[in-house]
Amino acid sequence: MSAFFADHARLADGWRRNVLLEWDDDGTLVRVAPDSAAPAGAERAKGPVVPGMPNLHSHAFQRAMAGLTEYRASVADTFWSWRDLMYRFAARIGPESLADIAHWLYIEMLKAGYTSVCEFHYVHHAPGGAPYANRAELAERVVDAAGRAGIGITMLPVLYEHGGFNKAAPRDDQRRFLNTPDALLALIDSLARARPENGMRRYGVAPHSLRAVSGESLAAVLEGLDARFDRAPVHIHVAEQTAEVEACVAATGRRPVQWLLDHFNVDERWCLVHATHIDAGECARLAGSGAVAGLCLTTEANLGDGVFPSRDYLDVGGRIGVGSDSHVGVDWRSELRLLEYGQRLCRQQRNVLASPTQSRPADRLFDAALDGGAHATRRPVGALSQGMRADWLVLDDAHPGIGGHAPETWLSSAVFCEHGDTPVRDVFVSGRKVIDARRHAQEDEALARYRAALRGLLD
Ligand code: NGQ
Ligand code: ZN
């Protein structure tokens, strides 16, 4: 049993004083007791403690192309022209480079205060499209990178079959992504055999999008998943672009979110990534389903996706979480800030995402993203309470945005204000201190390898 003591910690009922955290050898919290005395010998937090944030959407390899597509390549650059460049980059990824990129990325996530990641993993095969001798080669590299860095992972191997609606033939540059439902389930089997689930990793599935997966295949892969795991997570990209909505209506007569809600039992084990373009009816139904809307604000802004109707969705009780997706930003603070700022810019108002019970948007969005993010990982994370994994962040008392502030404004300051360094000082995952004074023990070596991998890819 281990113990940690915090003068201030954010529990389910808000900021509490003198909180004692105790956890067992498996990294699970066995006691969270406010108004306690500090036991002799227990480590003491050097600032306010908050739960670690789950990152619900990541394509790890894309970290290495951040910044490389910020130039005008055609008269009207769009998501689709970005995707062409991204596919060209994906074509160069190999087992070694992916391992090095993911390892460095996951260290960056930990430093920012993400303690879990959901990896939406779709580059499966060798360049050209032939499976590796081990079908799960690349997925295994990513899972191992997470293990080395010390971040919890929900690995979601992606089912990708078609190049567009109506089972359009895949493009050549999509060959590395392709699997049938059976082949994908075989990949998951071999992965789960080689790297069994434990307190730090869990498996699920990600049908890429309604563009890439037919209704029958989606049903088949879910059936296979349910035969193997207990209510494993299901993540899907949906309604990110208006062109997708139009193509879906043309092919099926329904909008993508509507189609999904009409054909599948979409509930809290689902994460609908982006769901940007939803109408009022879809908004209410999605909120009522219990599914998580996986919002990736920095990527959605970067790709010119549009603005998710977060005010309306949150008002009717919708569940949200945040993800860093293409990793142009790797910080939950930027995601939450942009979530509020998108609404401010559209509505010419301030503090739009406050609620009747939480007048500060940062507090409300932080709590909401913990809850939705935890649902998306389908692990006991996202709160400091008994039975949860011992994941937390220590905000730095010495940071200008924290020290000197009263507890009411700690999160507002963290989310909306920049003072150079992140306010996240120390990070614990499963009871292990993985970031100590903003440093990860492997970061120098990981950065050197990342830089070498990048040089190789850009050659
Ligand atoms: C992806 N990215 O899977 O990386 C996608 C682009 C696609 C985002 N949706 C590829 N942000 O949608 O076909
Ligand atoms: Zn994505």
Side-chain angles (χ1 to χ4, degrees):
M1 182 101 83
S2 311
F4 189 77
F5 187 82
D7 291 340
H8 297 270
R10 191 168 180 83
L11 308 188
D13 53 353
W15 288 108
R16 300 296 304 268
R17 302 285 316 257
N18 300 321
V19 179
L20 176 64
L21 301 164
E22 290 181 332
W23 64 98
D24 63 17
D25 292 345
D26 296 333
T28 301
L29 287 166
V30 292
R31 199 156 90 94
V32 177
D35 308 317
S36 298
E43 182 177 351
R44 210 168 170 132
K46 295 192 170 64
V49 168
V50 299
M53 182 62 71
N55 184 341
L56 58 59
H57 193 63
S58 164
H59 308 291
F61 78 88
Q62 290 180 15
R63 180 51 163 162
M65 61 175 281
L68 300 182
T69 63
E70 308 301 325
Y71 62 94
R72 184 183 284 175
S74 54
V75 182
D77 264 335
T78 63
F79 171 92
W80 307 101
S81 55
W82 167 82
R83 195 178 75 157
D84 290 340
L85 298 177
M86 186 271 282
Y87 282 178
R88 260 202 259 160
F89 192 79
R92 297 180 156 228
I93 295 291
E96 298 300 330
S97 57
L98 182 58
D100 292 338
I101 294 165
H103 183 222
W104 169 246
L105 169 66
Y106 292 156
I107 288 172
E108 290 186 291
M109 284 188 193
L110 288 166
K111 289 170 69 126
Y114 284 124
T115 47
S116 302
V117 60
C118 300
E119 185 63 35
F120 200 106
H121 171 78
Y122 63 88
V123 183
H124 296 300
H125 308 312
Y132 287 100
N134 169 9
R135 292 197 82 84
E137 175 74 41
L138 293 182
E140 235 171 81
R141 298 293 185 131
V142 173
V143 165
D144 288 349
R148 267 191 294 147
I151 195 169
I153 187 165
T154 296
M155 166 50 85
L156 306 153
V158 170
L159 179 62
Y160 205 112
E161 283 191 295
H162 308 297
F165 285 97
N166 294 320
K167 305 189 181 179
R171 299 162 32 153
D172 277 351
D173 52 10
Q174 294 170 331
R175 282 207 196 133
R176 299 190 72 181
F177 319 155
L178 304 179
N179 277 298
T180 62
D182 282 342
L184 189 80
L185 291 164
L187 186 160
I188 293 173
D189 282 339
S190 98
L191 187 57
R193 248 195 324 272
R195 304 286 186 273
E197 289 192 325
N198 61 26
M200 291 287 282
R201 58 174 171 255
R202 163 145 214 199
Y203 297 114
V205 77
H208 181 274
S209 56
L210 296 179
R211 286 180 271 128
V213 177
S214 67
E216 308 91 269
S217 293
L218 179 47
V221 86
L222 292 181
E223 194 185 316
L225 190 71
D226 288 341
R228 290 163 169 81
F229 302 97
D230 181 29
R231 306 232 340 121
V234 181
H235 291 216
I236 184 168
H237 289 129
V238 68
E240 180 179 9
Q241 287 283 319
T242 50
E244 175 189 323
V245 177
E246 286 154 20
C248 188
V249 171
T252 70
R254 290 176 221 208
R255 303 167 58 83
V257 170
Q258 183 187 21
W259 187 93
L260 207 53
L261 291 166
D262 285 347
H263 289 85
F264 287 86
N265 178 26
V266 173
D267 61 12
E268 59 171 26
R269 74 142 139 176
W270 288 70
C271 177
L272 273 56
V273 182
H274 309 302
T276 312
H277 299 287
I278 50 176
D279 65 19
E282 291 172 303
C283 178
R285 284 181 71 194
L286 181 58
S289 74
V292 182
L295 308 180
C296 305
L297 292 299
T298 55
T299 293
E300 290 155 7
N302 186 270
L303 299 180
D305 287 348
V307 180
F308 176 81
S310 47
R311 167 72 182 271
D312 300 339
Y313 179 77
L314 287 169
D315 277 356
V316 291
R319 191 170 259 155
I320 60 154
V322 295
S324 57
D325 190 356
S326 69
H327 312 300
V328 285
V330 183
D331 195 337
W332 52 268
R333 298 161 54 231
S334 320
E335 304 302 331
L336 297 185
R337 186 184 315 147
L338 200 46
L339 183 52
E340 167 67 21
Y341 279 178
Q343 295 297 309
R344 291 191 190 188
L345 290 164
C346 291
R347 292 168 188 255
Q348 302 176 36
Q349 288 175 12
R350 300 190 72 243
N351 297 311
V352 179
L353 299 179
S355 77
T357 55
Q358 288 187 294
S359 65
R360 299 176 195 279
D363 292 11
R364 194 223 192 155
L365 297 178
F366 184 78
D367 293 343
L370 287 175
D371 171 70
H375 268 84
T377 70
R378 291 200 63 74
R379 323 204 53 107
V381 297
L384 293 172
S385 58
Q386 194 188 326
M388 293 285 164
R389 200 168 70 199
D391 294 0
W392 64 81
L393 322 178
V394 181
L395 305 182
D396 189 352
D397 244 343
H399 186 273
I402 303 298
H405 279 252
E408 301 81 73
T409 51
W410 279 332
L411 287 172
S412 300
S413 165
V415 168
F416 290 106
C417 308
E418 290 292 349
H419 295 274
D421 276 348
T422 171
V424 176
R425 184 190 195 279
D426 304 320
V427 178
F428 287 71
V429 181
S430 198
R432 262 187 60 222
K433 195 192 239 180
V434 289
I435 302 295
D436 187 356
R438 298 190 175 78
R439 277 194 59 84
H440 189 288
Q442 300 158 0
E443 71 176 66
D444 294 338
E445 177 227 329
L447 177 57
R449 294 185 69 98
Y450 173 79
R451 292 176 53 156
L454 199 52
R455 268 197 306 276
L457 289 166
L458 300 182
D459 241 357

